[in-house]
Amino acid sequence: MKALVLGGGGITGIAWETGLLAGLADAGVDLTGADRVVGTSAGSIVGSQVTSDTPLDELYRRQLLEPGHPEGPTEAALAAIGPRVLATYAVAVLRSRRDPEVFGRLLGSRAVRAAARGRTPSIAERYDQVRQRLTTTTWPERDLVVTAVDAATGELAAFRGGGDVGLEDAVNASCAVPCVYPPIPIGGRTYVDGGMRSGANADLAAGCDPVVVLSPLDRSVGPLRSARQQLAELGVPHLVITPDDGSRAAIGSNVLDPAARPGSARAGHAQAAAHVARVRELWG
């Protein structure tokens, strides 16, 4: 059973992952038919898109649209994970003592307070933005896993179809970057970005072989463990692809900047050529 894991990385991460998938498919290696797709934050949007009926080349074309294009999403005010938010994360890393659930609780509580003080968009505004990027609001008839973190407990939530949580709610929760976007209430609980537990949550591919990870931000910081660490512990054949120099330059310093979206998509598409042989060998 093959798994495709799609990590978080903002608007540019969506574009880079889509471009990379399209580039690989153009070279004859289509990862979108994976038996399991795990999506975290930006990856949850890409995961929901590639498991829908929308062709991959159309998804890639949409990423190439410049901001303001009539076929593209209506962009909200420019957001950024600025110094104040980064300082909040740094304090949480120190106070968590390498415990991911403590880290999740600390950021969850800060996210709730920030939203209550009006420092984030409203939930309605956020749903509108995410809805414009989804190609469906219905769970696919495939094994799609969407991750989030419970703001009160710090525990991982792995949403799937067939349960009580709709796809749109799950994706909004997975993309709820603490102190940037509002935490999402679902079924009496409140959730924040799944990337607050791991950039890709690649360990949710347990039981699969092989596993390919596309992770714009595959980092190990404090309690956050990288996809490489998680998959090494699982002991399964895997490949983790992260942005190369060209892709990092295209992505730039603000992963939430829609102006960098077309360039990030093109860079991902171009980067695919360097990975075709290894992916084909692993994927079969």
Side-chain angles (χ1 to χ4, degrees):
M1 187 166 71
K2 302 174 182 177
L4 171 64
V5 178
L6 302 163
I11 290 173
T12 57
I14 296 171
W16 177 79
E17 290 176 7
T18 305
L20 187 54
L21 288 170
L24 289 170
D26 288 347
V29 186
D30 187 356
L31 299 180
T32 64
D35 301 291
R36 180 179 300 166
V37 177
V38 179
T40 291
S41 198
S44 72
I45 291 180
V46 180
S48 70
Q49 290 175 337
V50 300
T51 56
S52 73
D53 294 330
T54 306
L56 182 55
D57 58 354
E58 171 61 16
L59 295 174
Y60 177 58
R61 186 190 72 82
R62 293 182 186 184
Q63 293 302 317
L64 299 178
L65 300 176
E66 295 291 339
H69 192 285
E71 292 185 51
T74 302
E75 303 295 351
L78 180 63
I81 304 174
R84 183 174 183 173
V85 175
L86 290 175
T88 298
Y89 292 1
V91 171
V93 166
L94 293 174
R95 292 182 58 195
S96 71
R97 298 182 182 274
R98 305 188 70 83
D99 186 324
E101 292 187 0
V102 173
F103 182 71
R105 290 198 298 272
L106 289 169
L107 286 185
S109 64
R110 293 300 297 266
V112 169
R113 290 201 296 273
R117 294 170 181 170
R119 293 177 179 169
T120 63
S122 70
I123 292 175
E125 289 171 327
R126 187 60 185 148
Y127 266 70
D128 177 66
Q129 285 298 302
V130 171
R131 189 177 296 118
Q132 292 183 61
R133 290 172 169 81
L134 295 177
T135 54
T136 180
T137 56
T138 303
W139 285 100
E141 294 183 2
R142 293 174 56 188
D143 188 8
L144 171 63
V145 185
V146 173
T147 70
V149 169
D150 189 305
T153 67
E155 296 175 344
L156 174 69
F159 298 118
R160 281 182 162 98
D164 297 329
V165 178
L167 178 62
E168 189 174 12
D169 293 325
V171 171
N172 271 281
S174 190
C175 295
V177 182
C179 304
V180 176
Y181 300 127
I184 302 300
I186 301 174
R189 310 296 302 177
T190 302
Y191 297 93
V192 295
D193 195 309
M196 298 305 104
R197 189 254 188 180
S198 166
N201 293 294
D203 54 339
L204 293 182
C208 296
D209 175 0
V211 180
V212 174
V213 181
L214 310 186
S215 184
L217 300 170
D218 189 46
R219 298 171 181 168
S220 177
V221 180
L224 304 182
R225 302 176 68 239
S226 69
R228 289 183 174 88
Q229 289 176 316
Q230 292 175 325
L231 291 173
E233 288 188 3
L234 289 181
V236 297
H238 66 271
L239 175 65
V240 178
I241 302 177
T242 58
D244 61 11
D245 290 343
S247 292
R248 284 193 293 272
I251 289 168
S253 60
N254 182 5
V255 300
L256 302 179
D257 185 358
R261 180 179 58 231
S264 299
R266 292 189 183 94
H269 193 282
Q271 184 180 341
H275 303 283
V276 169
R278 178 67 180 114
V279 174
R280 180 179 287 118
E281 175 188 3
L282 186 67
W283 203 253

